[in-house]
Amino acid sequence: MKRVVVVGNGMVGQRFVDALRARDPEGRWRVTVLAEETRPAYDRVRLSAFFDGVGAEELNLHTPDDGVELRLGEPATAIDRDRRVVRTATGEHPYDAVVLATGSYAFVPPVDGAALPGVFVYRTLDDLVAIREHARGRRTGAVIGGGLLGLEAANALRLLGLDTSVVEFAPRLMPVQVDTAGGAMLRRYVDELGVGTHLGVATTAIRSGADGTVAGLELADGTVVDADLVVVAAGIRPRDELARAAGLDLGPRGGVLVDGACRTADERIWAVGECAAVDGTCHGLVAPGYAMAEVVADRLVGGAATFPGADTATKLKLLGVDVASFGDAHGTTPGCLDVTFTDPATRVYAKLVLSDDAKTLLGGVLVGDASAYPTLPGTAQVCSCNAVTRDDVDAAIAGGCADVPALKACTRAGTSCGSCVPMLKQLLDAAGVKQSTALCEHFDVSRQELFDIVRVRGIHTFSALIAEHGRGRGCDICKPVVASILASLGTGHVLDGEQASLQDTNDHFLANLQRDGSYSVVPRIPGGEITPEKLIVIGEVARDFRLYTKITGGQRIDLFGARVEQLPQIWRRLVDAGFESGHAYGKALRTVKSCVGETWCRYGVQDSVGLAVALELRYRGLRAPHKIKSAVSGCARECAEARSKDFGIIATDTGWNLYLGGNGGFRPRHADLFATDLTTSELVTLIDRFLMFYIRTADRLQRTAAWIEAMEGGLDHLRSVIVDDSLGLCAELDAAMARHVESYSDEWRDVLEDPARLRRFASFVNAPDVPDPSITFTEERGQPVPVGRTPAPVALGMPEVRR
Amino acid sequence: MTTATLSWTPVCPLDRLDPDRGVAALVDGVQIALFHTADGLFAIDNLDPVTGAYVLSRGIVGSRGGVPTVASPLHKQVYDLRTGICLDLPGVSVPRHEVRCRDGLVEVRLRQEG
Ligand code: SRM
Ligand SMILES: Cc1cc2nc3c(=O)[nH]c(=O)nc-3n(C[C@H](O)[C@H](O)[C@H](O)COP(=O)(O)OP(=O)(O)OC[C@H]3O[C@@H](n4cnc5c(N)ncnc54)[C@H](O)[C@@H]3O)c2cc1C
Ligand code: SF4
Ligand code: FES
């Protein structure tokens, strides 16, 4: 058996190991991996997702394998080519082959203060953990470097709540990828996000403050930029120190010099990934690195693969701005022609670089709308992380891949940053592949079909449903779906009998689970209108139970930090004062926000608060495939932001305009105008039918916007169903809503009145008087907050940086 | 941190366990998650190893490919109730404990493993 020692367990090192193991089922090679980092390989490309709550586990790329010895935290210190061993601080590893996969390090320019506490690079998970730690309680941040990585880091600092600036030495942002005009367009987007830019100026020093940590940057033009935290993203340099010390040749700009087989002049030593200079050129993207890994794996089992060259296409989903650059973006091909297009109104900039006969597309830059990207020909890359072209995907589909997971397994597209997954879906659609709608391994049907089965067959329990129409015991996907369907069809209290076992913990305890195992309590405050007496009760309850109190984005008040056994006591006080559950925990109606409207506002033309209260009371407790939100504005100035809601209402001089299918969240979308100048009763009828039709036919966790988008015929079809009654469904929908309104009762009160349900609210079944000792608080800004916050936060819908 | 015992500790009457829904129990200072499903009684640590919160007793139980499971209520990783092994994340598991029913009483014995 021969031994290969892999130095570095980054993205490419791991890919090499996977590729070799796949090609070497007989185990001819014994693999030892020496890793400097203390965690196994993870997805560096998706590193920034860490700040959106994606934990280290989710980024992990390594699967344990008996044929591979992974030595974490044991960096290689030297290669002894005479004795054929790789040395580490603790021992020696004999080899027949060495694969260097040491990646790059972040280049830090030699300015004063670069070593101050609070100055970071942006390369490893540990860097990000340290950045998050340092950002806590601080206000300002700065990034040195306005390239891809710098902008990604700037967005991360912004998400951490820092007022952020970017300093770039070149006269435009992303100088490598975009041209001057594209850079100017990009800057406008970045400005608008509140990220400051200082272009065409060098950083001359990093200054410290009174506490010895970083306080700001001094620029060459005399400007001082405040920064309590600094990220240096000024470029990367290959880690070629082992090769250099071993007397191997380096590329002209560093990197381990290798030939097209990724082999150094020493036939036993190979280099892959960012540390390799293939024929003299280093590649700073993951796709070429993966290609090198495959080449070396093939060579070690006797193949003759060579590095095919790299596509430098980059695609960046940055701060909500699309930036794409591909091929010869700067037009360096002799005689080439540029076609540029700038639209200040929609703020799109595009440049295409064509061959001198204008027949061949050589490259281009797109800022603002990169959707033109996938219409490129079959050789265009769909997945830039894994160098997968449209042809590759189409071939896989033709070869039988029928869904995204299959495409991922077969082509590896979509397995790194994930930003190409929507495109994979589009390509499947384009190829006419119908994707499976099975809910999970227990049910082969979609939520909509399940809803019809339950309704038409009159099934009342999960056990009957799974026995007749499914298999196994259910899971955390199908159980809450069925619970929601049963609730929508009005089959009693959500905690009755078997239904209790189907609920997510939030519905089970009628409160929202927090990261430390405590819960939050949100009483309903219809329309955001509240009396002073009720405000005082909320204050008293919060004080007496020592709850953290916050005004939510939904015009009501959230009380955090309640233990399970405290919930009924808290509800008792609230219910006695006239409050009820606000269903913040349910896939249900949340809030109907309002603006103050004609009662007070000098512009208001209708009573927006009155309508919001009436709507919230009508639809409270309505369970749905996802949460439902609404708002009512008293005039076209739209202070209630109704157009960002599932159903939004805006007053007109003569009635109400109804907008459908809006949401904020991950993918914000404005609602579309559906009907105008409605009377209040016409309006309510339309909303009744809209909601009931949605509840019946939408997919699991599909909000109304996505539901309408997926509907054949879209808004027009919806109009034909709920206005013209084209399906003859309206009477049924109306009756279903009437039943809902009639049967509503407050879920908190119902629990308080029922000892059997109350019994569930105990800390420990055998020690109900002992509070959970793991829930403890410390104080922040005068209020209790959880101590020892854990590393993996509960993910909220936040924008995500991608390229 | 766990004090291991070799004795069986009575915890509660069997009918205090709702079918397919967990409860938390304190046994020798250790937080246990107890479940009663159609596949029997199960006991694992209540501590979710991924988030550090004591919440596994509040997860949804079910099955995956015939294996009885519970999903963490925080981030939904699924664990094999019989072994405590996480089916979604390689190398992650929770300690499991022994559990039985005697004369209508559920009894738990902590396992020695740390
Ligand atoms: C408390 C609150 C933040 C605040 O302090 O202001 C909040 C907190 C949570 N939001 Fe929110 N959202 C809150 C207003 C919003 C808003 C603003 C609004 O409603 O006007 C939005 C954008 C509007 C929208 O939904 O379209 C919002 C978009 C989200 C999303 C993204 C939804 C999407 O379609 O992409 C999620 C994730 C989800 O539901 O899947 C989410 C999920 C959550 C969850 C439930 C996450 C979770 O599962 O633990 C948070 C826990 C709530 C709790 O009480 O423990 N929250 N969330 C707000 C409660 C409003 C209320 O009174 O009910
Ligand atoms: C925030 C961020 C975003 C990115 N986004 C993209 C993107 O969208 N698209 C894209 O194509 N690329 C992107 N990249 C670049 C991409 O991550 C790299 O190209 C890729 O990780 C290179 O893989 P590698 O294995 O060569 O190096 P690395 O992943 O850096 O791994 C090298 C490993 O070797 C270890 N090592 C070094 N020396 C030794 C030694 N002597 N002994 C043992 N171990 C050693 C290092 O600690 C490291 O763990 C991004 C990078 C960052 C930091
Ligand atoms: S939306 Fe109109 S009525 Fe309502 S507060 Fe704004 S300006 Fe006034
Ligand atoms: S996974 Fe990143 S583009 Fe496909």
Side-chain angles (χ1 to χ4, degrees), chain A residues 226-254:
Chain A
D226 284 343
D228 308 325
L229 187 159
V230 171
V231 171
V232 183
I236 54 171
R237 297 288 183 271
R239 294 191 61 174
D240 50 19
E241 63 270 14
L242 286 175
R244 182 197 311 253
L248 293 166
D249 288 339
L250 303 183
R253 306 169 85 184

Side-chain angles (χ1 to χ4, degrees), chain A residues 147-453:
Chain A
L148 281 169
L149 191 62
L151 291 180
E152 187 166 328
N155 193 45
L157 298 192
R158 197 176 66 94
L159 292 181
L160 288 172
L162 303 184
D163 206 342
T164 305
S165 326
V166 174
V167 181
E168 167 59 51
F169 179 66
R172 61 173 182 272
L173 294 170
M174 288 179 58
V176 182
Q177 289 82 11
V178 306
D179 55 4
T180 309
M185 186 71 80
L186 184 56
R187 183 182 184 175
R188 287 174 56 189
Y189 283 102
V190 172
D191 281 351
E192 210 165 84
L193 284 153
V195 172
T197 41
H198 302 269
L199 303 180
V201 60
T203 305
T204 46
I206 306 180
R207 282 197 193 166
S208 62
D211 65 351
T213 68
V214 64
L217 302 180
E218 278 173 26
L219 308 187
D221 62 3
T223 317
V224 173
V225 179
D226 284 343
D228 308 325
L229 187 159
V230 171
V231 171
V232 183
I236 54 171
R237 297 288 183 271
R239 294 191 61 174
D240 50 19
E241 63 270 14
L242 286 175
R244 182 197 311 253
L248 293 166
D249 288 339
L250 303 183
R253 306 169 85 184
V256 186
L257 185 67
V258 293
D259 59 15
C262 300
R263 191 195 303 236
T264 65
D266 178 335
E267 57 167 19
R268 295 180 184 275
I269 303 183
W270 313 73
V272 294
E274 287 187 346
C275 70
V278 187
D279 294 330
T281 307
C282 292
H283 298 271
L285 293 170
V286 71
Y290 279 176
M292 295 175 214
E294 300 284 346
V295 167
V296 175
D298 182 66
R299 292 273 173 164
L300 289 192
V301 298
T306 53
F307 181 63
D311 185 337
T312 54
T314 18
K315 193 170 20 132
L316 154 89
K317 190 91 185 81
L318 169 93
L319 318 145
V321 188
D322 286 348
V323 180
S325 109
F326 56 94
D328 181 13
H330 291 289
T332 54
T333 309
C336 67
L337 308 167
D338 289 359
V339 184
T340 57
F341 167 76
T342 315
D343 180 356
T346 54
R347 297 194 310 173
V348 170
Y349 168 80
K351 176 174 87 172
L352 296 180
V353 179
L354 304 172
S355 60
D356 53 4
D357 59 0
K359 283 192 177 139
T360 312
L361 180 61
L362 300 173
V365 178
L366 299 154
V367 176
D369 181 7
S371 62
Y373 194 82
T375 64
L376 288 171
T379 52
Q381 275 190 9
V382 172
C383 174
S384 48
C385 292
N386 296 285
V388 181
T389 63
R390 182 179 177 155
D391 282 343
D392 298 335
V393 173
D394 286 344
I397 294 173
C401 289
D403 56 13
V404 171
L407 280 179
K408 281 184 173 177
C410 178
T411 65
R412 289 202 182 240
T415 54
S416 301
C417 76
S419 66
C420 59
V421 168
M423 217 186 290
L424 298 180
K425 288 199 180 126
Q426 282 174 19
L427 290 178
L428 281 164
D429 285 344
V433 176
K434 209 169 140 42
Q435 292 167 62
S436 165
T437 54
L439 198 55
C440 61
E441 70 171 62
H442 305 101
F443 290 98
D444 292 333
V445 293
S446 67
R447 179 191 178 277
Q448 176 182 355
E449 292 163 302
L450 211 54
F451 192 102
D452 289 334
I453 292 173

